[in-house]
C-alpha cells in the first residue's frame, strides 16, 4: 500500500498554524514572533521558516485556516439538525455570533474591521468576501437539500440576507446572542419557506 508523505508535513504545518493562532489570540499578531511560535509548536525556529518562508507567509496560512475552521463550524452546525430548518439555522447563527464574540480573528475576517492587529489585518480582511460567500453557500446547500424544488434565486437571496444580518449583529450587537439568534432563525425560516413556495 502506498504511503502519503504529504500527511506528516500537513500535520506539521497545522501544528505550527495552531500555535500561531493561540499566540495571536493571547497577545495579538504584532507581538507574535517566529521563535515563540516554534516554541509553542515544539519545533525549531528554522522549521517554521522552512514551512512558511516568513511571518507574512505564516499570516496567510493562519488566515486561510481560520476561514476553513469557521465555514466548517457553520456547516457542522447546520448538518447536525437534519431537516429541522429552524433548529439548524439557530445552531449555525449561535455558533457564528458566539465565535465572533470570543475570537478576534473571526471578527476581523467577518467585519473587515480593525481588530487591534494592523499587521495581520490585510490577510484577514481580504478573506471577508470569501468567507461570506462560502457561508452563504453552506446555507444554500443545506436549505436546498431540505427544500427540494425551491426557487434557487430566492434561496440565494435568503441565504445572503441572513449572512449579512448576522454580520451586522457581530459589528453592532444589541441583544444577547441567544435572543438575536432566535429572531434571525425565525426570519430564516420565513425567507426559506418563501423560496420554497411556487411563484404565484
Amino acid at each position: 500500500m502506498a504511503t502519503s508523505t504529504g500527511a506528516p508535513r500537513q500535520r506539521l504545518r497545522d501544528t505550527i498554524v495552531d500555535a500561531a493562532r493561540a499566540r495571536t489570540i493571547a497577545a495579538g499578531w504584532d507581538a507574535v514572533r517566529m521563535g515563540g511560535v516554534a516554541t509553542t509548536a515544539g519545533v525549531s525556529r528554522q522549521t517554521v521558516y522552512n514551512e512558511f518562508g516568513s511571518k507574512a507567509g505564516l499570516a496567510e496560512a493562519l488566515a486561510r485556516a481560520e476561514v476553513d475552521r469557521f465555514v466548517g463550524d457553520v456547516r457542522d452546525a447546520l448538518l447536525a439538525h437534519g431537516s429541522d430548518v429552524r433548529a439548524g439555522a439557530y445552531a449555525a447563527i449561535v455558533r457564528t455570533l458566539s465565535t465572533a464574540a470570543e475570537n478576534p480573528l473571526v471578527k476581523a475576517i467577518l467585519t473587515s474591521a480593525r481588530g487591534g492587529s494592523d499587521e495581520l489585518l490585510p490577510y484577514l480582511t481580504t478573506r471577508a468576501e470569501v468567507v461570506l460567500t462560502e457561508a452563504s453557500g453552506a446555507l444554500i446547500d443545506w436549505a436546498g437539500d431540505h427544500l427540494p424544488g425551491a426557487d434557487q434565486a430566492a434561496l440565494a437571496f435568503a441565504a445572503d440576507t441572513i449572512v449579512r444580518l448576522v454580520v451586522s449583529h457581530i459589528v453592532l450587537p444589541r441583544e444577547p446572542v441567544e435572543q438575536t439568534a432566535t429572531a434571525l432563525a425565525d426570519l430564516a425560516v420565513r425567507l426559506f419557506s418563501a423560496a420554497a413556495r411556487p411563484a404565484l
Side-chain angles (χ1 to χ4, degrees):
M1 178 182 294
T3 58
S4 172
T5 57
R9 183 178 180 194
Q10 187 59 52
R11 284 196 295 272
L12 171 64
R13 290 175 65 86
D14 290 345
T15 297
I16 294 169
V17 169
D18 285 345
R21 181 178 188 268
R23 295 184 75 92
T24 300
I25 291 174
W29 178 254
D30 298 345
V32 170
R33 299 291 178 266
M34 300 290 264
V37 171
T39 298
T40 300
V43 299
S44 70
R45 185 169 177 268
Q46 188 58 51
T47 296
V48 178
Y49 276 104
N50 288 347
E51 290 299 321
F52 298 99
S54 64
K55 190 178 178 184
L58 182 57
E60 177 72 19
L62 175 59
R64 179 69 259 179
E66 207 62 29
V67 169
D68 291 344
R69 187 194 305 266
F70 169 74
V71 175
D73 283 350
V74 169
R75 288 188 181 275
D76 289 346
L78 291 169
L79 294 175
H81 295 277
S83 60
D84 189 335
V85 172
R86 192 194 178 284
Y90 177 84
I93 292 167
V94 163
R95 177 81 61 87
T96 301
L97 292 174
S98 300
T99 300
E102 298 166 0
N103 186 337
L105 301 184
V106 168
K107 187 168 185 177
I109 291 171
L110 291 175
T111 66
S112 297
R114 301 188 72 79
S117 185
D118 292 341
E119 196 178 333
L120 182 60
L121 187 69
Y123 298 97
L124 295 175
T125 55
T126 56
R127 300 296 185 188
E129 184 176 348
V130 173
V131 74
L132 293 177
T133 299
E134 291 187 11
S136 294
L139 271 174
I140 292 167
D141 292 345
W142 165 75
D145 287 342
H146 301 297
L147 299 171
D151 179 87
Q152 292 302 303
L155 206 58
F157 177 79
D160 182 70
T161 298
I162 294 301
V163 169
R164 289 177 185 274
L165 285 172
V166 170
V167 172
S168 75
H169 283 278
I170 291 170
V171 176
L172 189 62
R174 298 176 61 88
E175 306 290 348
V177 165
E178 293 78 8
Q179 188 173 336
T180 299
T182 295
L184 291 178
D186 289 343
L187 177 60
V189 169
R190 290 197 290 272
L191 289 172
F192 288 136
S193 295
R197 288 196 296 268
L200 298 178

